[in-house]
Amino acid sequence: MSKWIDIAALEDIPKRGARVVKTAQGCVAVFRTASDEVFALDNSCPHKGGPLAEGIVHGSSVTCPLHNWVFSLETGVAQGADEGQVGTYPARVAGGRIELDAAFLAARSAA
């Protein structure tokens, strides 16, 4: 059974925006889409380390602000001709609050 960590109200992240959550395991970018879905990815682009939370959110993708690589918010996989993947984290909205899976965060740090 997962334990969920409450990190913010859904309204704390603008639509098509993101915020960074600093954890003991590193920085996680939490994204909100135009349709109020939330996704969490590693905040660092595998290409050159660009801060994904500063990227452009469009549909269910984010574009890295440094070199325009596009990543799926659902899978973390680079889109188009680019190759690579960023780590994803279980995220959900419960009662208007965004939550991350604590057990998954801990397991990622042990890997």
Side-chain angles (χ1 to χ4, degrees), residues 16 33-34 55-64 69-71 73 79:
R16 294 179 304 278
T33 67
I56 298 170
V57 176
H58 46 99
S60 60
S61 300
V62 62
T63 299
C64 178
W69 282 35
V70 178
F71 296 91
L73 292 172
Q79 305 298 291

Side-chain angles (χ1 to χ4, degrees), residues 7 10 12-21 27-45 50-65 71-74 76 86-89 91-93 98 100:
I7 59 163
L10 180 63
D12 289 342
I13 300 176
K15 288 183 182 239
R16 294 179 304 278
R19 294 290 183 265
V20 175
V21 176
C27 292
V28 175
V30 180
F31 299 90
R32 179 181 177 191
T33 67
S35 60
D36 291 334
E37 292 179 285
V38 295
F39 298 94
L41 305 173
D42 287 332
N43 191 40
S44 183
C45 174
L52 292 178
E54 295 176 23
I56 298 170
V57 176
H58 46 99
S60 60
S61 300
V62 62
T63 299
C64 178
F71 296 91
S72 165
L73 292 172
E74 296 168 333
V86 292
T88 61
Y89 300 86
R92 69 180 186 185
V93 178
I98 299 170
L100 295 179

